[in-house]
Amino acid sequence: MFKNIGLVLVAFLGGVIGSFVFHQYLSEDPYFNNPEQFSRSEEIPMSQVRHRPPIEEANQNLGSPVPDSFVEASENSTNSVVFIKNFSGTDSRRYSIFDYFFGQGMAQQTVSTGSGVIFSEDGYIITNNHVIEKAETIEVIHKKRTYKASLIGSDANTDIAVLKIEADNLPAIEIGSSRELKIGEWVLAVGNPFNLTSTVTAGIVSAKERQINIMGGDFPLESFIQTDAPINPGNSGGALVNINGELVGINTAILSRTGSYTGYGFAVPVDIATKIANDLIRYGEVQKAIPGIEIKEISPDLAEEMNLQSLDGVIVSHVIRNGAAEKSGMEVNDVIVKIDGTEISGKGSFEEALSYYYPGDKIQVTYQRRGKLNTVQLTLQNLLGGTGVINRSFYASALLGAKLETINAIEMDRYGVPYGVKISSMTRGYLNDLGFGNGFIITDVNDQPAKDPEKVGKFLEEFSGQLRIEGLTPGGRSFAQSYSVR
């Protein structure tokens, strides 16, 4: 009896809540508030109404026909997607910008979950950086087996991370091409939303080269694939596959006011993700190639001000001293329209075009200056200003509660300093107690130049007495502070 009463109460409350939500939805609808605005100006005869054609007829008119089913694509991909658990060991409240776009906040919980994609048969797995962020222990679950995973590397600029588990003969996913992916193509999102493992949803590619300004890192790279395939919390790090079940993207975010799917999801293109993953596996760090410039979008106002006939391309806003662009003769306000023959429509396509190259690669850049087109060859540089592969020096210290790393060439140019050690990955520790935070740059310690992260870190760990630290805040302001250290 009480069970029946409980069911009635649940149904009643559900109806009340549903009515309230529906009323709220209608109250925001412009037609509900002003129906006259949407009234038809004339009646349309039924003979002129176009009915939806049968699927067979539609298939004849579509470049990417409506499939009979998604069975083959599902079978080719679901076995290659894993379930990931992130054990932080502490309160892992996550009030990041991803909470707004992806609804992944895990307030007052010590375990958060996500998805990953098997990249190789010997146990390398691609996922999102925010899925494994701040993890003390990571577990990967595949076909009911649980593996302890080690973090090979991560990149906040693209939100890509690589894990490794000790296993062989894993079903590595087939890699497709995001560059060949067309708007309007069918795609499937494969992952573990709401801890529901091996879930598949379908939709189409809604847009490419989309920027939604959610990436962290010093050089955020956003050129998302936008899709209406339903993506929800837990899908992060999962697979976006084409109709053949080939990987075309790594699901990363959704645009949502509720934290759940309400329309569009975003995935890192697979061509970018695999380049990042291969770099992390081979070098332990992403080998970013830079042209030595900073750029900005072309707005209608800028186009009018500069007398530009098109909004396509990007404007050079800053030329880095001794960088590749400066050496080639490029200047501020040059408008880049092509890279190696690929047309540049905006920041997304510019960043994606560059993301496939390595330091030392030569590219042809076509730009417009005062109405005239010019083409120059640039030799791309690494983050330290050279042209070779780099392994950036860093020192991680539990006592200091941070990772110390050398600053790059762009930061040297930006702040006007020849060297420095930057603080990142802050947790509770010595540097936090001294008042430092992520992004602070130490230039001198007790009047000695701070060039080597390990030397600086070990000195701070062992020093006692009067300590003086000089440097720059994340905003670029100089500081000099003295401390009495026991």
Side-chain angles (χ1 to χ4, degrees):
M1 175 180 174
F2 290 102
K3 182 185 293 186
N4 292 336
I5 292 173
L7 290 173
V8 171
L9 286 173
V10 169
F12 174 75
L13 288 172
V16 171
I17 293 171
S19 299
F20 174 76
V21 171
F22 183 65
H23 181 270
Q24 289 294 107
Y25 169 78
L26 288 179
S27 66
E28 296 176 1
D29 191 294
Y31 180 79
F32 181 82
N33 292 302
N34 189 13
E36 293 80 8
Q37 180 184 347
F38 290 83
S39 61
R40 290 183 295 177
S41 58
E42 60 179 345
E43 292 294 325
I44 301 176
M46 288 301 295
S47 61
Q48 296 181 22
V49 176
R50 296 187 61 186
H51 297 280
R52 178 181 178 182
I55 286 180
E56 293 78 8
E57 182 183 337
N59 283 343
Q60 295 174 1
N61 300 319
L62 290 174
S64 178
V66 179
D68 293 331
S69 76
F70 299 103
V71 173
E72 182 181 355
S74 300
E75 288 179 344
N76 290 344
S77 58
T78 51
N79 286 335
S80 300
V81 176
V82 300
F83 185 49
I84 295 176
K85 288 186 176 181
N86 171 341
F87 296 87
S88 67
T90 58
D91 183 355
S92 59
R93 297 179 188 177
R94 299 168 66 176
Y95 301 111
S96 70
I97 196 163
F98 280 102
D99 290 344
Y100 178 76
F101 279 93
F102 199 75
Q104 186 79 353
M106 304 297 290
Q108 297 181 339
Q109 295 183 15
T110 57
V111 181
S112 58
T113 60
S115 304
V117 181
I118 298 174
F119 186 52
S120 67
E121 294 182 354
D122 58 347
Y124 285 103
I125 293 166
I126 299 179
T127 185
N128 284 144
N129 174 61
H130 78 268
V131 168
I132 52 81
E133 196 174 28
K134 299 181 181 179
E136 294 182 2
T137 304
I138 303 171
E139 286 184 356
V140 169
I141 301 170
H142 179 246
K143 291 185 175 180
K144 299 182 181 180
R145 291 183 180 274
T146 300
Y147 303 86
K148 184 175 180 180
S150 56
L151 176 62
I152 298 301
S154 61
D155 179 48
N157 296 304
T158 55
D159 198 30
I160 294 295
V162 176
L163 306 177
K164 179 71 167 67
I165 61 174
E166 296 304 317
D168 295 311
N169 301 316
L170 293 171
I173 199 162
E174 291 291 325
I175 305 296
S177 171
S178 51
R179 277 177 278 193
E180 295 179 4
L181 192 67
K182 300 290 190 297
I183 295 173
E185 273 193 51
W186 287 98
V187 286
L188 276 67
V190 187
N192 306 287
F194 304 115
N195 295 343
L196 300 172
T197 57
S198 300
T199 296
V200 178
T201 55
I204 63 168
V205 175
S206 306
K208 294 179 66 177
E209 301 173 3
R210 185 69 81 199
Q211 293 197 312
I212 54 178
N213 301 316
I214 64 169
M215 288 300 185
D218 297 322
F219 311 99
L221 194 168
E222 289 193 5
S223 187
F224 288 118
I225 298 168
Q226 180 180 314
T227 176
D228 65 354
I231 297 173
N232 276 297
N235 271 115
S236 273
L240 187 72
V241 302
N242 61 21
I243 199 63
N244 300 316
E246 299 167 330
L247 185 69
V248 294
I250 300 296
N251 298 323
T252 298
I254 62 174
L255 185 59
S256 173
R257 295 179 180 177
T258 65
S260 298
Y261 173 79
T262 55
Y264 292 111
F266 302 90
V268 177
V270 70
D271 293 342
I272 294 177
T274 53
K275 196 270 185 183
I276 300 299
N278 283 322
D279 282 0
L280 292 174
I281 293 169
R282 186 173 181 182
Y283 306 109
E285 180 170 346
V286 177
Q287 300 301 313
K288 186 172 180 61
I290 59 175
I293 54 174
E294 295 177 7
I295 53 101
K296 59 185 177 183
E297 291 276 12
I298 302 176
S299 67
D301 289 342
L302 276 174
E304 183 177 356
E305 179 184 327
M306 297 176 64
N307 196 28
L308 302 177
Q309 303 303 310
S310 172
L311 297 180
D312 288 337
V314 292
I315 299 173
V316 176
S317 59
H318 177 68
V319 178
I320 295 171
R321 288 173 296 174
N322 300 316
E326 184 184 68
K327 292 176 182 178
S328 74
M330 293 188 68
E331 301 175 358
V332 171
N333 287 336
D334 285 345
V335 180
I336 298 174
V337 293
K338 289 183 181 179
I339 293 178
D340 275 349
T342 299
E343 294 186 355
I344 303 301
S345 60
K347 285 185 68 175
S349 59
F350 175 81
E351 291 171 355
E352 182 171 347
L354 286 175
S355 70
Y356 306 122
Y357 294 98
Y358 282 86
D361 287 347
K362 292 178 171 56
I363 62 171
Q364 299 289 327
V365 176
T366 302
Y367 64 90
Q368 179 180 328
R369 179 186 296 170
R370 292 185 286 275
K372 181 181 177 182
L373 284 179
N374 304 278
T375 299
V376 294
Q377 179 175 275
L378 270 64
T379 301
L380 297 172
Q381 298 175 315
N382 60 36
L383 290 174
L384 298 181
T387 57
V389 168
I390 62 171
N391 293 299
R392 271 178 87 185
S393 176
F394 71 90
Y395 180 71
S397 169
L399 178 62
L400 298 180
K403 182 171 78 171
L404 305 180
E405 55 188 317
T406 52
I407 61 172
N408 58 55
I410 293 177
E411 290 164 331
M412 292 179 192
D413 177 80
R414 181 182 299 155
Y415 299 120
V417 293
Y419 56 80
V421 170
K422 186 169 67 173
I423 301 171
S424 63
S425 303
M426 285 282 294
T427 59
R428 294 179 183 177
Y430 180 47
L431 289 177
N432 182 69
D433 293 340
L434 293 181
F436 290 95
N438 281 319
F440 274 76
I441 295 173
I442 298 173
T443 56
D444 297 272
V445 178
N446 281 4
D447 298 322
Q448 296 298 311
K451 297 181 178 180
D452 185 290
E454 184 173 357
K455 288 182 180 179
V456 171
K458 288 185 175 179
F459 179 85
L460 293 175
E461 287 175 335
E462 300 169 1
F463 181 80
S464 62
Q466 200 66 24
L467 178 67
R468 180 177 173 82
I469 298 178
E470 300 174 50
L472 301 164
T473 68
R477 291 184 300 169
S478 298
F479 71 85
Q481 188 67 43
S482 296
Y483 310 88
S484 294
V485 180
R486 295 181 180 180

